[in-house]
Amino acid sequence: MTAVLSFCAICLLLLAGKALRSAVPVLQRLYLPASVIGGFIGLIVITTLGPYLSPDWFAAFGKLPGFLINIVFAGLFLGEATTPLKKIWRLTAPQFCFGQIVAWGQYVVGLGLVLFFLAPFFSVPDIFGNLIEIGFEGGHGTVGGLAGTFHELGWPEGPDLGYTVATTGMVFGIIIGMIMINLAVRRGYVKDVRTFDDQDKLERLGVYRPDAQPEAGRQTVYSDSIDSLALHIALIGIAVLIGFGIKELLVLGETVAPVSVRNLKIMQSLPLFPLCMIGGLLLQFFLRRTRLDFLANHGQMQRITGASLDFLVVAAVASIRLEFVTAYWLPLSILMLGGIIWNIFTVIYIGPRIFDEAWFERAIAEFGQSMGVTATGLMLLRTVDPEKKTVAAEAFGYKQLLHEPVMGGGIWTSLAVPLVMYGKGMMVWFISLAALVIALFCWLRFFLTRKNTAP
């Protein structure tokens, strides 16, 4: 009954968020997702009325994000069409380099602020510095996936602070992104912009016209054998199982490692979700090799992972414990301000100097992703390039194939957490600094454009 009530509560909050967004024009102009609005409604209800409501309604909220993120990452690349590597690299190389600069810079800024300022003056733990990349670049899903690691390693405040950073990043990513888009229009960097005033009433409400509703994905099997949606969910489950098997092998391998490495228990602390992404990639490779890849449709996979992410965000935002946030409000604000300044700097200074075509469109997409989730980047990109006349959308999409396995919830994001929490914060900072220097060198050596397009 507890699980049923929690599921019903999330459904109510999602619909309430959608209804409130449709009724309040300001929320439409801010492009806030219904999941975030519904999460805030849940946070208010739990904070104010929680003592008077049955705990069964919200019992699963804190555990749900950690489960759903496995589904999101497992289905990330399942059903993707085969694309020649040469084409991917040609479009993606500068985009990947830019994304790496942004992500590694978030570690350098975050850990640097903590190690050299926030820890001495506010007594925050070193892991505090990871929150920028986890919350901004990774988002709610990454925080949810790392929640178990935070608890296991003795930092119960971690998930709540991470969700706060992720929520702040998503909201300010949209607001600041739209401000930069308006400035770009005034300066002539982009011209084919679809503003809020250009949208019809239904578009502002976030509803498709009945005659313009897109397909949610193709059915790949006859329903009298197995429902197509059930098949796709089963494939995601297999990808999660492969990821679980990989983790078990890593934990087993750690038992035969040297004592100094074994005592760190890094593999045991490694979250499952990035390994689920590897599981999805391996499963997709198997389907291609056996010529069964036609059974997996990426459109259906996107619907499954998109729905999981919406439910995840509602549960994550609603379950934030404000007592942790208020206890760290000042150092947390300074940390987030540092991350926001870094992200804006990369768009304004590096963006026009790394992309020789559609520099603003490509940079603003990265800004959206680096402040929240990929969907935020796509929303900002759709605003400046509504008809996909530039290469920005294609380059941004291909770049995820190389970027996601490493950062924003990838292997390094997950590995850096136990390393820092085991007292290796300075080492992680130096590794991040070295990676940032390498990424900057690649930019200056291979991708620095000579065009006079810089602001």
Side-chain angles (χ1 to χ4, degrees), residues 39 86 97 133 289 389:
K86 186 176 181 181
C97 182
E133 200 273 343
R289 295 291 293 180
K389 292 182 178 180

Side-chain angles (χ1 to χ4, degrees), residues 1-9 54-60:
M1 183 59 70
T2 298
V4 173
L5 289 177
S6 296
F7 173 73
C8 293
S54 171
D56 291 345
W57 280 93
F58 314 106

Side-chain angles (χ1 to χ4, degrees), residues 347-370:
V347 173
I348 294 175
Y349 186 80
I350 298 179
R353 294 174 173 85
I354 195 171
F355 301 121
D356 58 1
E357 182 182 358
W359 77 264
F360 184 79
E361 290 89 341
R362 298 173 73 168
I364 200 66
E366 291 297 333
F367 174 81
Q369 181 179 17
S370 67

Side-chain angles (χ1 to χ4, degrees), residues 207-446:
V207 178
Y208 286 108
R209 298 192 313 273
D211 61 340
Q213 294 175 344
E215 297 291 336
R218 293 180 179 273
Q219 298 190 58
T220 59
V221 291
Y222 285 100
S223 58
D224 59 355
S225 62
I226 183 174
D227 184 82
S228 184
L229 183 61
L231 173 65
H232 284 74
I233 294 174
L235 289 174
I236 288 178
I238 293 173
V240 173
L241 181 61
I242 295 173
F244 179 78
I246 294 173
K247 180 171 181 178
E248 290 299 301
L249 289 175
L250 291 174
V251 172
L252 182 63
E254 193 175 44
T255 60
V256 297
V259 177
S260 58
V261 176
R262 193 188 317 157
N263 290 338
L264 293 177
K265 298 181 180 180
I266 292 176
M267 292 300 109
Q268 293 184 31
S269 304
L270 190 69
L272 180 60
F273 67 93
L275 303 178
C276 292
M277 177 174 56
I278 296 175
L281 287 168
L282 292 175
L283 179 57
Q284 180 64 18
F285 176 77
F286 171 79
L287 292 174
R288 286 176 183 167
R289 295 291 293 180
T290 56
R291 298 183 179 180
L292 295 174
D293 53 315
F294 66 91
L295 294 175
N297 176 257
H298 191 58
Q300 289 216 33
M301 290 298 179
Q302 286 182 309
R303 300 289 70 77
I304 296 171
T305 57
S308 299
L309 191 59
D310 274 341
F311 277 79
L312 185 157
V313 171
V314 172
V317 176
S319 61
I320 293 174
R321 286 178 289 181
L322 294 179
E323 62 268 23
F324 289 147
V325 179
T326 54
Y328 287 97
W329 74 269
L330 184 54
L332 193 65
S333 299
I334 295 172
L335 185 77
M336 289 189 291
L337 180 61
I340 291 172
I341 291 174
W342 166 253
N343 290 343
I344 294 174
F345 168 78
T346 57
V347 173
I348 294 175
Y349 186 80
I350 298 179
R353 294 174 173 85
I354 195 171
F355 301 121
D356 58 1
E357 182 182 358
W359 77 264
F360 184 79
E361 290 89 341
R362 298 173 73 168
I364 200 66
E366 291 297 333
F367 174 81
Q369 181 179 17
S370 67
M371 289 290 292
V373 292
T374 303
T376 304
L378 290 174
M379 185 277 293
L380 295 176
L381 177 57
R382 188 171 64 247
T383 302
V384 295
D385 187 17
E387 298 181 11
K388 297 183 179 179
K389 292 182 178 180
T390 72
V391 300
E394 194 174 11
F396 182 68
Y398 285 147
K399 164 250 179 183
Q400 309 306 326
L401 296 172
L402 303 175
H403 184 79
E404 292 286 356
V406 182
M407 310 298 286
I411 296 298
W412 175 251
T413 302
S414 305
L415 188 60
V417 170
L419 283 175
V420 173
M421 296 192 74
Y422 280 122
K424 307 295 183 181
M426 188 62 72
M427 182 187 76
V428 171
W429 185 77
F430 275 114
I431 292 174
S432 302
L433 181 62
L436 177 60
V437 170
I438 293 172
L440 289 171
F441 172 79
C442 291
W443 161 48
L444 296 172
R445 176 64 180 85
F446 301 108

